[in-house]
Amino acid sequence: MSKRSTSDLTTLSIAEAGSLMARGEVTSTALTEAFLARIAAVDHKIASFVTLTADKARNAARQADMELSQGVRRGPLHGIPIGLKDIYETEGVLTTGHSHLRADYVPAVDAETVRRLKAGGAVILGKLATHEFANGAMTPDQPFPPARNPWNTAYQPGGSSSGSGAAVAAALCMGAMGSDTGGSIRNPAGFCGTAGIKPTYGLVSRCGIFPLAFSLDTAGPLTWTVEDSALMLDVLAGYDPNDQGSAKAPKVDYGAAAHRPIKGLRIALARSWYEGPTPDMAKGIDEAVRVLREQGAVVEDVVFPDIWDYHICGRVIITTEAHAVHRQDVIERPEKFGYTTRRRFQLGAFITAEQYLRALRFRRKLQLDTRAAMRGYDLIMTANHWGAPEIFEEPQPIFHFLDKASLTMPFNVTGQPALTVCCGFGSDGFPLSFQLAGRPFDEASVFAAGAAYERATPWRLRRPTL
Amino acid sequence: MTEKKPPTLEEFRARAALTGLPLTSEDLEHLHKGYAGLLSLMERIPTRWAWAAEPPHVFRADE
């Protein structure tokens, strides 16, 4: 059986670990113990976990091993150790949203996504740090220490799925669940150098996940490789009658799609969106374009609506809906929020119904205009973020959306699937990354291109040192 | 009516009194700046729409 070292085990991909377990060369128990040992050794440096469920994880791993020994394999996540952003409700396990407001909240039922992950044999190691209720900045007045970037702990990991990005990059779990309303999966995926997908709006259930903005919220995974995100989505995707936004989409084998050739795939490069990133980022994306062309894809510059249009449209919707979700608490217990979160949730009280409806109408226009600009192309490619993450000790501005347009917001506004792919490292040592977005419910093409790029480049071999 | 000009701090304070939120003067200053910034960015959103440009609804009568 397993003679691999802890680091050998924790840096396996989900696909590799699954193959080894299927062949009887590694057990889920060995994997789980390796991750628990690494969390004990290094997580104090990055504070990615807020609640560890070691005993439950060990039991789940033993169950997975027993089933495997009887020839039962539930799917690609069977026996795979993962983490959950602490806005996913978990039966019998504290679910705080990284907020004093839910500091003692222990749900009685799992979120639908958690139910699917458990039914698929995944081993849940614990709950991960997040920006408060997936929106606020990380401020010192919150119940847990904020997560740090494993590439340099003096910097932010991005957010709001901050712990998810940090834990996956630091090899503290093989995959992690995040949520993305304006970029909260892709932002930490980019800054931490992992893969991460915001699925098409409606593909993955949000039932049992703390909401931020119903019209834009999506749930999805962060993993070390693109193929692993595809494998996690294989388990997560599917209609849920308890989520009003859930779609009845045909079942697709995303894991298989990650091995499709991309010859002839047509990619529209939205270069105008990211004019002015750091020279490293611009170079990284140009190089990624070259690699995708080498793989047979056709990449051409295409003009899309202005990035600021998507940015303000999404921001008005988020600000209004987040206020509606949290209104009672910002009136009755405002002191329980972090000081930044509170102000962000208060702001929506000043937006009129007319302004909100105007943003919803604008969303429809942007969706149609994006579709028209994308005609004849399978994917959109653009930068994932502007440059290095923020320094940890410098407090984020309260209204962070006023200075820079979000590069991730376009695909929340249009509802399209969007994947973050690491494309090298800057001279400052931080990861560079680009986004690939597909037509609605065409995650398969997104995974095919992202995985083809990864296989052709060496970036998955470099990990942060802690 | 679409707002064109950002409210002064005094106008904003009067409006805040109608929101039902318990706000400190520090909250008000931050929110005033945030709202003015948001309003300025919102100039990008068209104000006139055809009747046909209804927002997408989540409600459907057949479900």
Side-chain angles (χ1 to χ4, degrees):
Chain A
M1 194 56 72
S2 172
K3 289 193 179 64
R4 291 163 189 268
S5 71
T6 294
S7 70
D8 287 346
L9 291 174
T10 56
T11 54
L12 289 171
S13 70
I14 291 174
E16 289 165 341
S19 298
L20 290 170
M21 277 192 281
R23 294 203 301 267
E25 292 177 26
V26 164
T27 63
S28 175
T29 298
L31 277 179
T32 302
E33 291 299 341
F35 280 106
L36 290 173
R38 183 159 168 80
I39 291 166
V42 304
D43 196 40
H44 64 279
K45 296 180 187 171
I46 59 166
S48 65
F49 277 87
V50 296
T51 302
L52 205 56
T53 53
D55 290 344
K56 286 177 189 283
R58 289 187 173 107
N59 285 339
R62 272 195 293 272
Q63 173 77 18
D65 287 335
M66 189 185 72
E67 289 177 356
L68 277 173
S69 71
Q70 293 167 352
V72 176
R73 185 169 184 257
R74 296 181 187 218
L77 298 188
H78 191 112
I80 299 294
I82 61 164
L84 304 170
K85 183 176 184 175
D86 203 24
I87 61 168
Y88 282 71
E89 297 201 344
T90 38
E91 180 192 348
V93 177
L94 198 62
T95 302
T96 69
H98 216 115
S99 177
H100 286 296
L101 280 144
R102 300 286 183 278
D104 304 316
Y105 177 53
V106 179
V109 180
D110 283 330
E112 171 61 13
T113 36
V114 177
R115 187 195 68 74
R116 282 173 181 263
L117 290 164
K118 284 182 177 174
V123 172
I124 294 167
L125 296 169
K127 309 296 287 290
L128 296 160
T130 165
H131 290 191
E132 189 175 13
F133 292 124
N135 184 48
M138 294 187 290
T139 47
D141 52 357
Q142 290 168 0
F144 304 106
R148 290 174 180 260
N149 194 311
W151 294 96
N152 183 338
T153 56
Y155 286 77
Q156 304 269 1
S160 67
S161 308
S162 51
S164 307
V168 170
L172 302 185
C173 56
M174 288 187 157
M177 290 306 296
S179 67
D180 194 318
T181 306
S184 287
I185 288 173
R186 290 161 289 158
N187 189 280
F191 286 130
C192 294
T194 74
I197 183 153
K198 179 207 86 70
T200 306
Y201 181 82
L203 184 69
V204 175
S205 169
R206 291 97 39 94
C207 182
I209 304 171
F210 291 174
L212 174 59
F214 305 109
S215 308
L216 297 167
D217 287 342
T218 54
L222 293 88
T223 54
W224 187 243
T225 68
V226 168
E227 182 185 13
D228 285 356
S229 281
L231 294 174
M232 284 190 75
L233 199 61
D234 275 330
V235 172
L236 294 162
Y239 176 66
D240 176 10
N242 293 315
D243 176 353
Q244 292 291 298
S246 186
K248 288 177 180 161
K251 178 83 183 144
V252 176
D253 185 341
Y254 300 114
H259 290 275
R260 277 189 204 163
I262 61 165
K263 190 170 168 52
L265 203 71
R266 294 180 56 79
I267 303 176
L269 180 65
R271 194 189 293 275
S272 63
W273 284 354
Y274 64 90
E275 278 167 354
T278 59
D280 282 344
M281 186 70 82
K283 200 172 144 198
I285 293 173
D286 285 349
E287 180 59 15
V289 167
R290 188 191 63 76
V291 171
L292 286 164
R293 283 179 177 149
E294 258 179 23
Q295 304 297 305
V298 176
V299 186
E300 294 172 341
D301 281 26
V302 172
V303 176
F304 285 88
D306 194 293
I307 187 78
W308 281 98
D309 287 354
Y310 300 95
H311 176 79
I312 187 58
C313 175
R315 188 48 57 188
V316 171
I317 295 171
I318 291 172
T319 303
T320 312
E321 295 189 5
H323 174 74
V325 169
H326 293 280
R327 179 172 170 80
Q328 194 173 342
D329 283 330
V330 292
I331 289 175
E332 293 174 1
R333 300 185 288 174
E335 74 288 352
K336 295 271 186 187
F337 289 97
Y339 61 82
T340 297
T341 320
R342 182 174 77 243
R343 272 78 179 245
R344 288 185 187 171
F345 288 159
Q346 287 167 333
L347 186 61
F350 297 88
I351 294 175
T352 65
E354 185 267 343
Q355 288 168 328
Y356 174 63
L357 284 173
R358 205 146 48 91
L360 290 183
R361 286 176 159 156
F362 198 35
R363 182 186 193 188
R364 181 77 181 138
K365 177 176 162 38
L366 287 170
Q367 184 187 29
L368 295 174
D369 290 352
T370 307
R371 192 182 300 168
M374 203 184 159
R375 195 164 294 138
Y377 295 92
D378 303 291
L379 299 174
I380 303 172
M381 179 179 183
T382 194
N384 189 76
H385 54 277
W386 290 104
E390 289 157 330
I391 294 171
F392 196 84
E393 299 302 340
E394 281 178 9
Q396 256 197 315
I398 289 177
F399 298 111
H400 59 312
F401 50 82
L402 299 175
D403 299 334
K404 268 186 193 160
S406 160
L407 289 164
T408 46
M409 190 70 90
F411 308 120
N412 297 93
V413 167
T414 62
Q416 294 169 257
L419 172 75
T420 298
V421 184
C422 177
C423 61
F425 295 84
S427 49
D428 53 10
F430 284 108
L432 310 169
S433 58
F434 63 90
Q435 292 178 87
L436 288 169
R439 296 196 188 97
F441 300 103
D442 188 17
E443 275 79 357
S445 297
V446 171
F447 285 133
Y453 171 82
E454 265 188 8
R455 283 192 297 270
T457 52
W459 312 124
R460 295 303 75 197
L461 300 175
R462 194 192 297 190
R463 287 271 195 173
T465 311
L466 281 171
Chain B
M1 188 65 184
T2 303
E3 207 172 354
K4 293 278 182 199
K5 234 175 54 178
T8 63
L9 183 57
E10 274 318 300
E11 289 165 342
F12 191 74
R13 185 172 285 126
R15 193 156 152 193
L18 304 174
T19 63
L21 301 178
L23 299 172
T24 63
S25 52
E26 198 190 340
D27 284 340
L28 267 168
E29 278 174 30
H30 283 299
L31 289 168
H32 179 243
K33 277 186 204 151
Y35 182 72
L38 201 64
L39 201 62
S40 133
L41 291 175
M42 282 171 67
E43 283 175 13
R44 307 185 71 89
I45 305 182
T47 51
R48 291 185 171 275
W49 294 90
W51 281 108
E54 286 303 313
H57 291 293
V58 287
F59 171 78
R60 285 184 180 81
D62 59 348
E63 286 180 354

